[in-house]
Amino acid sequence: MAVLRSVVRGVGAYLPKRVMTNDDLAKIVDTTDEWIVERSGIRSRHIAADGELTSDLGIAAARQALVRAGIDPVEIDLVVCATATPDKTFPATAVRIQAALGVTKGAAFDVQAVCSGFVYAMTVADNFLKTGQFKRAIVVGAETFSRILDWTDRGTCVLFGDGAGAVVLEAQPHHGTREDRGIIATRIRSDGRYEDMLYVDGGPGSTKTVGHLRMNGREVFRHAVQKISGVIEETLVETGYAADEIDLYVPHQANARILDGIAKKLGVDPKKIMMTLEKHGNTSAASIPLALNQAFEEHRLKEGSLVLMEAMGGGFTWGAVLVRW
Ligand code: UT7
């Protein structure tokens, strides 16, 4: 039976030029390179320049993805941007990206699920493409978390950074078999009872300010290992794949110890897990497409490879996307 599948045609990424090392951070808060590396695996992060906006990062990533896909912007009819750090309260950052790329058809909107944003945005785009409502989508994850960090809080400011990544998806007819290319399964979850574990203490409708990120790191860590392992297992059971049949795991990049914990829990060879946080820290919704981009540049994404993306973030929100590349 012919079905529509959302096939990844191109991937791109962008990191701002300015690099901030752990030693740079040790000059502004009571921390050390040793502590940050041992507890998180992060060595440096990129920080957007003054006047460089989330949309600017997203536009650069999307342009690279379009060039690699060999697709003209006029052929795109859906732009979804996952971000928790939009340029403005409104309009959506996605419409600014849409305009800058020269996309004039269809729709553009933001998806807000913090660090799970890219998984949510892929799920939304996939559902529009599968039903035939749109044909080609750009899915962007872009963040400037440096602007919502409390630079006096060593428990959080050492972990996050700025960046963007993007993929171009195209609806293609397939046979509905296990060999089909494209998105095979998506699973998204949330549980608002955990809101105060990871949140921003401001907003236009409450304090009329932007606010700063607050996190109970230890609790978030504990839930991350459980919830991510759970959603991966559910995705594997649903699709009938074993954990070791996945060619590459491309997780949200929050903490190396979380990724090690998941690998151990699922019995996955750590070599199959993309780990890119060392150079850019936790970039929230941008971290999966940044890791996908690195995997692409290292020739680790071959046509037919099974790729599993997963994330957990504020909300709590969490989820997974299984793709045959
Ligand atoms: O993207 C999704 C959301 N985020 C995450 O997934 C992050 C999840 N959490 C984590 O990654 C980890 O919990 C952290 C990296 C945030 C912290 O690691 P931890 O091993 O859980 O450390 P901790 O919070 O239990 O703190 C241990 C100690 C504390 O001192 P005391 O109370 O034991 O004396 C902290 O005050 O380390 C101290 N500490 C620091 N020391 C040096 C906290 N931050 C720092 C720091 N430098 N930057």
Side-chain angles (χ1 to χ4, degrees):
M1 190 185 69
V3 294
L4 285 173
R5 295 275 197 208
S6 310
V7 174
V8 180
R9 289 282 310 267
V11 54
Y14 174 81
L15 287 164
K17 282 199 178 60
R18 183 177 160 213
V19 174
M20 190 185 231
T21 65
N22 292 347
D23 287 335
D24 294 333
L25 274 164
K27 290 178 195 142
I28 55 173
V29 283
D30 182 15
T31 192
T32 59
D33 176 52
E34 292 72 34
W35 191 95
I36 302 171
V37 172
E38 192 195 307
R39 300 295 175 118
S40 72
I42 299 164
R43 291 181 189 274
S44 58
R45 68 286 295 141
H46 292 250
I47 306 290
D50 288 345
E52 192 176 33
L53 307 183
T54 296
S55 60
D56 296 319
L57 277 50
I59 291 160
R63 283 199 174 122
Q64 187 176 46
L66 280 167
V67 168
R68 285 178 176 160
I71 288 180
D72 194 286
V74 300
E75 296 176 78
I76 299 292
D77 51 7
L78 178 64
V79 180
V80 185
C81 178
T83 187
T85 45
D87 294 1
K88 296 178 176 173
T89 302
F90 75 82
T93 302
V95 299
R96 307 187 97 202
I97 296 173
Q98 178 194 34
L101 295 175
V103 174
T104 51
K105 285 192 294 195
F109 55 86
D110 289 355
V111 165
Q112 215 283 55
V114 208
C115 298
S116 312
F118 191 74
V119 165
Y120 270 62
M122 288 286 273
T123 302
V124 170
D126 178 45
N127 280 302
F128 277 117
L129 296 184
K130 273 194 319 203
T131 56
Q133 191 163 348
F134 296 112
K135 283 203 170 64
R136 290 179 198 90
I138 297 184
V139 182
V140 180
E143 303 278 17
T144 48
F145 259 51
S146 62
R147 305 218 162 101
I148 55 164
L149 294 176
D150 174 352
W151 289 97
T152 64
D153 175 14
R154 68 177 183 172
T156 54
C157 75
V158 304
L159 301 172
F160 296 89
D162 303 337
V167 299
V168 175
L169 296 176
E170 181 176 66
Q172 293 181 356
H174 278 269
H175 302 294
T177 68
R178 277 168 78 88
E179 281 66 45
D180 286 357
R181 289 185 67 203
I183 296 178
I184 297 168
T186 60
R187 276 185 101 79
I188 51 173
R189 292 290 319 279
S190 57
D191 190 338
R193 289 173 298 176
Y194 297 103
E195 175 192 339
D196 51 6
M197 295 287 148
L198 177 52
Y199 64 101
V200 165
D201 62 5
S206 51
T207 58
K208 296 190 263 181
T209 62
V210 172
H212 291 112
L213 184 148
R214 306 291 172 206
M215 177 169 74
N216 180 339
R218 218 175 281 187
E219 278 301 295
V220 174
F221 189 107
R222 196 170 63 79
H223 281 279
V225 177
Q226 277 174 10
K227 291 190 163 40
I228 293 169
S229 308
V231 82
I232 292 175
E233 274 164 352
E234 287 163 20
T235 306
L236 294 173
V237 167
E238 181 198 328
T239 54
Y241 287 104
D244 64 4
E245 285 182 274
I246 303 300
D247 297 298
L248 194 63
Y249 287 81
V250 184
H252 167 51
Q253 308 285 316
N255 187 316
R257 289 187 295 137
I258 294 179
L259 303 189
D260 291 341
I262 293 164
K264 210 173 279 172
K265 215 160 188 262
L266 297 174
V268 171
D269 178 355
K271 286 199 209 84
K272 283 189 169 184
I273 301 185
M274 280 305 290
M275 183 98 80
T276 61
L277 54 84
E278 184 178 315
K279 289 203 178 115
H280 55 64
N282 182 343
T283 57
S284 183
S287 84
I288 290 178
L290 274 164
L292 276 178
N293 184 67
Q294 187 166 320
F296 171 79
E297 290 180 350
E298 291 173 359
H299 308 288
R300 296 184 71 179
L301 291 170
K302 309 223 164 35
E303 194 170 314
S305 300
L306 272 177
V307 179
L308 200 146
M309 309 167 205
E310 52 80 353
M312 195 202 85
F316 289 140
T317 55
W318 66 101
V321 176
L322 179 62
V323 182
R324 190 177 286 286
W325 206 258

